Amino acid sequence: MKTRSELKDLAIASLKGKWGDAAVVTLIYMLIGFALGIVNAFIPVLGYLIMLLASLVIGWGYQVIFLGLSRGGNASVGDLFEGFSNGQFGRIIGTMALMCLYVILWCLLLYIPGIIKALSYSMTPFILRDTDLSYNEAIERSMKLMDGHKWQLFVLELSFLGWGILCMFTFGIGFLWLEPYIATTCAEFYKNLLEEEKNSVQTE
């Protein structure tokens, strides 16, 4: 597994010349979340359902945008809504909802097991993008990839805490650049997991 510094350097390299587009995508993503929150406030039951469904699909879209960017692609606002097209909606919404349900159930038992399971399931959005797997198959694939790597991802994500604190002093504006940085680094982590798996198979 590459070091945290190596993964972050790869993310920065992928974002080179694309920081502006990534910040715009992040701004739109945040504004959509704000708008969904307003809908939920004014239409409590129906609004909550709309917010839940839309946030799962758009949240998936946000994550896979940076997987594509890490592979040489571009950050496009339209890609936030990819999950609503091409017949993917049911597969994505069902899998993401199931993943969230599992995490919530684990958190009801104890908070720490919930965190561990969230880390274990964290590659599921990327797997949905790369494969035809769905529901438990996609989640189990994530669990397999993350076997032995959950602590590494936890420490990697924790390493951004200092940047997050600094962003608060910018009235949150800094998050427009921090969030793409984190998302792209996580995408690089996923790519590294795939490389390790491939190398492991070849050496067997």
Side-chain angles (χ1 to χ4, degrees):
M1 173 61 70
K2 289 183 172 67
T3 65
R4 293 192 299 277
S5 294
E6 288 173 330
L7 292 170
K8 289 180 177 181
D9 286 344
L10 287 170
I12 291 171
S14 295
L15 284 161
K16 186 177 181 180
K18 302 173 183 178
W19 284 101
D21 291 340
V24 170
V25 167
T26 302
L27 176 61
I28 298 301
Y29 176 60
M30 290 179 174
L31 289 175
I32 290 172
F34 180 72
L36 290 172
I38 292 176
V39 171
N40 180 40
F42 282 95
I43 317 172
V45 178
L46 179 60
Y48 179 76
L49 181 60
I50 293 171
M51 181 181 71
L52 178 62
L53 296 177
S55 61
L56 287 174
V57 180
I58 295 173
W60 173 83
Y62 183 77
Q63 287 182 271
V64 300
I65 280 174
F66 295 99
L67 176 61
L69 191 146
S70 75
R71 291 170 170 169
N74 296 307
S76 171
V77 173
D79 290 338
L80 282 172
F81 308 98
E82 182 183 347
F84 291 102
S85 62
N86 301 323
Q88 295 191 81
F89 180 78
R91 186 172 74 96
I92 291 168
I93 193 83
T95 307
M96 296 296 289
L98 186 62
M99 181 183 74
C100 291
L101 176 61
Y102 286 161
V103 172
I104 291 170
L105 291 175
W106 277 103
C107 285
L108 289 176
L109 295 176
L110 284 172
Y111 191 63
I112 292 178
I115 294 175
I116 293 172
K117 287 300 179 180
L119 291 167
S120 185
Y121 304 154
S122 60
M123 299 298 112
T124 302
F126 300 137
I127 291 166
L128 284 172
R129 182 67 180 84
D130 278 351
T131 73
D132 293 327
L133 297 176
S134 59
Y135 306 110
N136 277 325
E137 288 183 332
I139 294 171
E140 288 170 1
R141 170 74 173 137
S142 177
M143 292 171 65
K144 181 179 178 182
L145 280 176
M146 287 299 294
D147 186 28
H149 298 288
K150 290 182 283 293
W151 177 251
Q152 291 167 312
L153 180 59
F154 177 75
V155 174
L156 176 63
E157 293 182 343
L158 195 63
S159 69
F160 291 100
L161 180 60
W163 284 111
I165 293 173
L166 288 175
C167 286
M168 293 179 185
F169 292 100
T170 67
F171 301 100
I173 296 173
F175 285 107
L176 297 179
W177 288 270
L178 179 59
E179 289 299 329
Y181 184 22
I182 295 172
T184 309
T185 303
C186 288
E188 292 292 350
F189 187 90
Y190 167 70
K191 286 167 58 183
N192 195 200
L193 290 177
L194 294 181
E195 289 172 9
E196 280 204 340
E197 183 182 58
K198 182 179 178 180
N199 293 335
S200 176
V201 171
Q202 290 177 343
T203 56
E204 289 180 355

